[in-house]
Each structure stands twice: as structure tokens, then as C-alpha cells.
């Protein structure tokens, strides 16, 4: 069974390209929350810890680039390559047999996709809520996996 899902250059993505939703690398809500916590600490509790938190999150807000990691479309998902901005992986919903979401303990989370031809592929993911929402909506509920972590 031949599948259309594959790695390709971003310039070769299908047209028209109007994304339903996307996952970015920079979590603005998280940054804003910790900036406000830093301001609170600066004025109310600990002057030094407040300055430290404000400096770190302002640096992250201003100097770290915001990249699109994943885009959701009506018929497919595009996972962008973090190392090479010109490459991406397109995954069509109708070719997915099953999927699972694994929470990373010391690294990023991973979504594993099994295609109808048996091929498996894994992608790093930052938004469990969005990934579960769109994959559940277009493919079905995720497969449950037993944890490999030692209890």
C-alpha cells in the first residue's frame, strides 16, 4: 500500500494553504504569566528573584525566534523540521491507522503515528491539547500505551 504522507520541501506543500490552527515554539501565555510573577516578586516579596525572573523571560520573549512547529489543515497535518526550515513532513488524516501521545519526562512530548501500511513515525510536540483535539476529530481516539517508566 502506497501512502501520500512523506517528507518534502516546504515549497512543495499543496495549495491553497490556509491553516486551521498551528503550534508555535514560543508559548506567549506561559511567558506572560512568569513575567507577571516576576513583577509581583519584584514589588512584593523578593527583589532579586523578581529581577532574575523578569530578565530571563524578557530575554526569551525578545531574542528567541518564534517558529511554527506544526500546522493543522482540513485534510492533513504538516510537521516542520526544527533543524532545517526548508523541510517538513506532511501527514494525511485518512492514512493514519492509529496514534499515541507520550509525555516526555526529560525531553519534549512525542506523538507517534502508525500508518495503514504499518509504517510508524514519531514527531516532537509541544501542545498536547491541540494535537489530541485535531487527531481525535479527524482520525479517532488515540491508542492507549502502557508506560515504560519504572514505578
Amino acid at each position: 500500500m502506497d501512502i501520500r504522507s512523506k517528507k518534502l520541501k516546504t515549497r512543495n506543500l499543496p495549495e491553497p494553504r490556509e491553516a486551521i490552527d498551528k503550534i508555535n515554539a514560543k508559548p506567549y501565555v506561559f511567558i506572560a504569566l512568569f513575567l507577571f510573577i516576576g513583577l509581583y516578586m519584584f514589588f512584593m516579596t523578593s527583589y532579586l528573584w523578581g529581577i532574575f525572573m523578569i530578565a530571563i523571560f524578557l530575554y526569551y520573549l525578545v531574542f528567541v525566534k518564534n517558529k511554527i512547529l506544526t500546522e493543522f489543515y482540513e485534510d492533513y497535518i504538516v510537521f516542520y523540521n526544527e533543524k532545517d526550515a526548508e523541510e517538513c513532513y506532511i501527514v494525511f488524516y485518512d492514512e493514519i491507522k492509529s496514534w499515541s501521545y507520550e509525555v516526555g519526562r526529560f525531553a519534549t512530548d512525542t506523538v507517534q503515528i502508525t500508518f495503514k501500511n504499518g509504517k510508524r513515525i514519531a514527531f516532537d510536540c509541544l501542545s498536547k491539547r491541540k494535537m489530541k483535539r485535531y487527531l481525535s476529530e479527524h482520525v479517532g481516539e488515540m491508542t492507549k500505551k502502557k508506560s515504560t517508566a519504572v514505578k
Side-chain angles (χ1 to χ4, degrees), residues 25-139:
K26 197 184 284 190
Y28 289 109
V29 174
F30 179 76
I31 295 169
L33 174 72
F34 278 93
L35 278 173
F36 286 123
I37 291 172
L39 286 170
Y40 175 78
M41 290 175 74
F42 178 75
F43 288 113
M44 299 298 183
T45 59
S46 176
Y47 174 75
L48 289 175
W49 281 108
I51 289 175
F52 179 70
M53 283 187 71
I54 291 169
I56 287 174
F57 286 98
L58 272 179
Y59 174 83
Y60 191 72
L61 183 66
V62 174
F63 294 109
V64 175
K65 285 186 177 181
N66 188 21
K67 297 187 289 184
I68 297 173
L69 302 177
T70 308
E71 286 183 323
F72 300 95
Y73 294 89
E74 197 63 40
D75 299 327
Y76 56 90
I77 304 174
V78 177
F79 294 95
Y80 290 95
N81 188 339
E82 293 179 43
K83 295 177 180 80
D84 185 3
E86 294 295 315
E87 284 189 348
C88 62
Y89 203 99
I90 187 169
V91 176
F92 290 90
Y93 295 123
D94 60 349
E95 296 177 342
I96 298 174
K97 177 181 177 183
S98 64
W99 64 278
S100 63
Y101 193 93
E102 294 180 10
V103 177
R105 275 192 113 158
F106 302 108
T108 59
D109 296 349
T110 305
V111 62
Q112 292 193 3
I113 296 173
T114 304
F115 293 103
K116 291 180 180 175
N117 70 352
K119 182 180 174 185
R120 296 184 76 200
I121 193 159
F123 300 101
D124 290 340
C125 186
L126 291 180
S127 178
K128 180 178 183 177
R129 182 182 54 82
K130 285 184 183 180
M131 190 62 66
K132 286 179 77 172
R133 177 180 162 204
Y134 288 107
L135 284 175
S136 295
E137 182 179 311
H138 291 284
V139 179

